[in-house]
Amino acid sequence: MILTVTLNTAVDLTYRVPALTPHSSHRVTQVIERPGGKGLNVARVLAALGHETVATGFTGGATGAVLREQLAATPVRDELVETAGPTRRTVAIVDTATGDTTQLNEPGPAVTAAEWTAFRTRFTALLDGAAAVALCGSLPPGIHVGAYAELVRLARAARVPVLLDTSGEPLRRGIAARPDLVKPNADELAQLTGTRDPLRATREARGRGARAVVSSLGPDGLLAATPEGLWRAAPPAAVKGNPTGAGDSAVAGLLSGLVDGSPWPERLSRAVALSAATVLSPVAGEFDPTAYEELLAQVRVTADTA
């Protein structure tokens, strides 16, 4: 079983419009609603790959009830903890003429001390039997900035491999707790290390405590600093579409490879192919299975000797 944690879940709304023009009214041509938040996106992709997946985190209010109803229609097991405050919504506006996406993210409900204690109890119990755990996304109001570091330590104490995918101070503190893997994007990596040189920043991030660091470089693919060496993985060509959820699909690919015991080149190929197939999907945060299989055979993985 793979456990995913989404402390700031959301109901994701995707609006498709012929063209997005500021200061004007728009006629929406399509509306898509689904459970969201980074960890739930990861869980959905893992389930589509055939992994038994459990999702925990927080949800509440009328929006939370909608989220749970939608999650029940997926293979992902719901172990979310109820909050008094309502779950947030996120809105992605897709300009179908250009393929560009504008994202609007609400902050999420304030989590009380009692609710955090209830979550820690649930999380600790779920670690028993977990093959790996992913800690994903932003922290909702009320959660202390060292929360992910605390959860990393709990996972390590239970001898469960842990992946951390967050940003800012939660990433800085979480990486010091020595997770098995962190997956920052280029901006998050620069904020953490103070340098925009991908190779230098990835190496420095690993030196801060993570066993491995896989940096997302957007259309250029992934750069990985691992105990087995440095690797670069890139799609065969640039793909155009909606990038929403592409990074979460990459996390799912890395976790899938970890629990399967695959060597690093295979893990990275899986992550890049899933990410590109998500960009190509007409639904934000989903991946195109046919495109995934085709891309998997074409991803370029090279050892970096720099």
Side-chain angles (χ1 to χ4, degrees), residues 8 35-36 62 79 89 101 116 118 124 137 141 176 179 184 189 203 220-221 225 233 243 274 291:
N8 208 7
E79 288 286 350
R89 296 161 297 178
T101 301
W116 173 248
T124 303
L189 193 64
R203 281 174 161 164
D220 294 327
L274 280 169

Side-chain angles (χ1 to χ4, degrees), residues 277 287-296:
F287 73 93
D288 183 318
T290 301
Y292 166 61
E293 294 295 338
E294 293 174 353
L295 287 162
L296 188 59

Side-chain angles (χ1 to χ4, degrees), residues 3-303:
L3 176 63
T4 71
V5 173
T6 315
L7 296 179
N8 208 7
T9 59
V11 169
D12 286 347
L13 293 169
T14 300
Y15 294 150
R16 300 180 71 86
V17 298
L20 181 61
T21 306
H23 315 300
S24 66
S25 297
H26 296 79
R27 187 173 297 279
V28 177
T29 58
Q30 185 183 30
V31 180
I32 299 168
E33 185 179 68
R34 61 177 177 81
K38 292 180 71 65
L40 289 183
N41 295 340
V42 172
R44 191 168 48 250
V45 173
L46 285 168
L49 292 173
H51 293 281
E52 180 187 356
T53 310
V54 175
T56 190
F58 293 107
T59 191
T63 315
V66 170
L67 184 150
R68 298 191 101 145
E69 181 181 353
Q70 294 173 342
L71 191 61
T74 76
V76 178
R77 192 173 103 212
D78 177 354
E79 288 286 350
L80 296 166
V81 173
E82 195 74 19
T83 60
T87 294
R88 66 185 179 135
R89 296 161 297 178
T90 67
V91 178
I93 306 171
V94 180
D95 183 326
T96 56
T98 64
D100 292 337
T101 301
T102 299
Q103 192 80 19
L104 305 174
N105 297 329
E106 295 180 0
V111 175
T112 67
E115 289 164 349
W116 173 248
T117 298
F119 168 78
R120 284 182 79 260
T121 301
R122 179 78 57 89
F123 176 76
T124 303
L126 289 170
L127 287 173
D128 185 17
V133 58
L135 310 174
C136 302
S138 61
L139 298 178
I143 299 294
H144 65 94
V145 74
Y148 280 135
E150 182 178 347
L151 299 181
V152 169
R153 287 190 289 267
L154 288 172
R156 286 179 54 81
R159 299 184 181 276
V160 177
V162 56
L163 181 153
L164 177 62
D165 183 15
T166 188
S167 61
E169 190 62 21
L171 173 60
R172 190 181 305 277
R173 297 198 186 193
I175 201 171
R178 305 183 68 81
D180 294 87
L181 176 62
V182 296
K183 195 215 71 63
N185 61 33
D187 289 339
E188 293 161 352
L189 193 64
Q191 185 181 15
L192 175 69
T193 64
T195 177
R196 283 202 166 271
D197 176 77
L199 182 58
R200 179 181 171 188
T202 300
R203 281 174 161 164
E204 184 177 326
R206 184 167 181 251
R208 290 172 179 251
R211 180 172 172 80
V213 176
V214 177
S215 305
S216 175
L217 306 179
D220 294 327
L222 300 174
L223 173 62
T226 79
E228 287 76 33
L230 292 166
W231 306 89
R232 292 181 185 269
V239 294
K240 187 175 180 61
N242 184 357
T244 304
D248 303 328
S249 291
V251 168
L254 293 169
L255 277 173
S256 176
L258 185 156
V259 299
D260 288 348
S262 302
W264 273 104
E266 291 185 19
R267 298 186 201 184
L268 296 169
S269 292
R270 195 176 300 185
V272 169
L274 280 169
S275 180
T278 300
V279 173
L280 292 171
S281 173
V283 179
E286 308 288 346
F287 73 93
D288 183 318
T290 301
Y292 166 61
E293 294 295 338
E294 293 174 353
L295 287 162
L296 188 59
Q298 301 175 48
V299 174
R300 304 184 305 274
V301 182
T302 56

